Amino acid sequence: MKRVLICVLILFTLIFTGCSKEVQNENPDNPDNDSQQIVNIEDDEDIPDIALVMKTLTNPFFIEMEKGARLAQNELGVNLIVKTGAKETSIEQQIGIVEELINSKVDAIVIAPGSSTDLIPVLQKAQKANIAIVNIDNRLDPNFLRKMNLTDIPFISVNNEDGAYKSAKYIADQINKPTKVAILEGIRGADNSEQRKKGALKAFAENPNIQIVAMESANWKIDEAFSITSSIFAKYPDIGAVFCANDMMALGAIQYLEKSNRSNVLVAGFDDLREAEKAISKGSMQVTINQQADIQGYRGVKYAYEMINDKKQPLETLIDVKLVTKATID
């Protein structure tokens, strides 16, 4: 009788155990389900790894860029890896990030480079490792790209010269008497910075009442812009307008102007940050440019995904800019 009872218990245990395993394997939410984890690992190997390398997340412009990239990630089902430098001048850090991504064997890199030239050698190394490259925001130097034999790198951005022209022209058209103006540049040598300076110079040159008395780089930074603006006004206290190549620098300039009780200086920016819109609504800033950073991020990831799947992409895609003034905000 004992032997029969033991056999029944063993049989019951085997049946119960087998059923338990079968139910467990059908439950994808079970964290201890080994077979489900194996399936996920195999699926992950088929999901492309696309890295988005930006200059920084201290500038809200790049936060918007990441939002667009995340939208593409969700639509396409890719694994998006977001990497940034500590600040917009952290070029060596960006180079190190690309080196890490090469070692990690990602499938594609979408990069908004801090420098138009310094990132090219490491990107050449990435392309030789069969990593697809997409350039967004700041254009990599075309001549250096050719010299390094980097080919088929799509570029997605805005017409920076045209955007800066529209921004600077908006304040230039309000000047009807002899007026001194200043320009705050971004990182010198960076293509987007140089194009924005070119656009501002073109707009100011069209008004014979305007005299440009200072052009200084504040490296895209709010604190440097405050300091540079202070130095410029110490030398030229009667400046009537300032064009800033991005909104961070415009906000730094405005901080100085408010601190020194200068309420009659026209300020133009570029990027359409939320704080810039607040300044425009308040009247301490007149205009900025929306360059649709989210669309740049979205298209960058989409182009990279299609390149991984052997679909050729246009070498240049320019996103429309939008003029942002008090009238458009209100």
Side-chain angles (χ1 to χ4, degrees):
M1 184 65 183
K2 287 183 179 179
R3 287 181 179 177
V4 173
L5 182 59
I6 291 170
C7 289
V8 170
L9 289 172
I10 292 172
L11 180 61
F12 178 78
T13 302
L14 289 171
I15 292 171
F16 179 77
T17 304
C19 291
S20 297
K21 283 184 179 177
E22 186 174 341
V23 172
Q24 186 180 27
N25 288 343
E26 291 175 355
N27 183 5
D29 295 325
N30 188 337
D32 297 323
N33 184 349
D34 291 339
S35 65
Q36 181 66 32
Q37 289 175 355
I38 291 172
V39 170
N40 284 340
I41 290 170
E42 290 174 352
D43 287 347
D44 285 346
E45 290 178 354
D46 295 329
I47 296 176
D49 292 323
I50 299 177
L52 173 64
V53 181
M54 300 182 293
K55 301 172 190 176
T56 181
L57 282 178
T58 60
N59 185 334
F61 171 81
F62 294 106
I63 295 175
E64 292 301 310
M65 182 175 284
E66 182 183 353
K67 286 180 182 178
R70 293 292 182 192
L71 180 61
Q73 174 192 25
N74 294 334
E75 287 185 8
L76 301 171
V78 302
N79 179 34
L80 183 66
I81 303 163
V82 177
K83 299 283 188 178
T84 70
K87 50 190 178 181
E88 296 195 43
T89 52
S90 301
I91 310 302
E92 290 299 323
Q93 191 175 4
Q94 268 198 331
I95 292 171
I97 287 169
V98 175
E99 289 278 8
E100 291 173 6
L101 293 170
I102 294 170
N103 293 333
S104 298
K105 299 181 179 179
V106 297
D107 297 291
I109 295 174
V110 181
I111 187 164
S115 166
S116 295
T117 55
D118 293 348
L119 274 295
I120 289 178
V122 74
L123 291 173
Q124 180 198 45
K125 185 177 178 181
Q127 193 176 71
K128 285 183 177 179
N130 295 319
I131 297 173
I133 309 294
V134 180
N135 175 204
I136 61 175
D137 179 38
N138 179 36
R139 190 193 297 267
L140 294 165
D141 184 81
N143 293 327
F144 197 13
L145 285 174
R146 283 191 293 270
K147 182 179 178 180
M148 299 295 287
N149 199 30
L150 262 77
T151 58
D152 298 325
I153 297 181
F155 173 61
I156 304 168
S157 186
V158 298
N159 186 325
N160 282 284
E161 180 182 346
D162 179 60
Y165 172 82
K166 290 176 178 176
S167 180
K169 183 172 172 56
Y170 185 82
I171 58 173
D173 286 348
Q174 299 176 47
I175 295 172
N176 52 21
K177 61 181 181 180
T179 301
K180 295 174 182 177
V181 305
I183 294 175
L184 294 188
E185 307 171 40
I187 297 175
R188 285 179 171 165
D191 183 75
N192 56 351
S193 176
E194 297 299 328
Q195 293 301 317
R196 291 178 196 180
K197 179 174 69 174
K198 187 176 179 182
L201 288 171
K202 180 180 177 182
F204 288 152
E206 292 176 354
N207 186 334
N209 286 312
I210 289 177
Q211 178 190 5
I212 301 171
V213 295
M215 290 192 295
E216 300 288 344
S217 170
N219 293 306
W220 306 122
K221 298 178 185 178
I222 190 169
D223 53 343
E224 285 194 32
F226 179 93
S227 176
I228 294 294
T229 305
S230 175
S231 298
I232 290 174
F233 273 82
K235 190 173 183 180
Y236 305 101
D238 54 344
I239 285 176
V242 181
F243 169 80
C244 305
N246 80 343
D247 282 349
M248 295 292 278
M249 295 189 297
L251 294 171
I254 289 169
Q255 284 182 5
Y256 167 76
L257 295 174
E258 290 179 343
K259 184 178 179 181
S260 58
N261 295 316
R262 299 174 187 272
S263 59
N264 59 343
V265 179
L266 301 172
V267 179
F270 201 114
D271 275 348
D272 191 23
L273 303 185
R274 193 167 300 172
E275 290 301 316
E277 288 196 5
K278 290 179 182 178
I280 290 171
S281 295
K282 194 171 67 172
S284 54
M285 184 172 172
Q286 280 61 52
V287 61
T288 187
I289 293 292
N290 183 330
Q291 54 178 324
Q292 307 194 77
D294 56 335
I295 295 179
Q296 293 189 46
Y298 174 87
R299 290 199 182 177
V301 173
K302 186 176 181 181
Y303 279 21
Y305 176 78
E306 292 182 347
M307 290 170 71
I308 292 168
N309 289 283
D310 298 323
K311 294 181 182 178
K312 200 172 184 66
Q313 301 304 305
L315 289 180
E316 182 178 275
T317 301
L318 295 181
I319 310 297
D320 291 337
V321 299
K322 296 179 180 179
L323 196 71
V324 180
T325 65
K326 194 172 190 301
T328 65
I329 294 171
D330 297 342

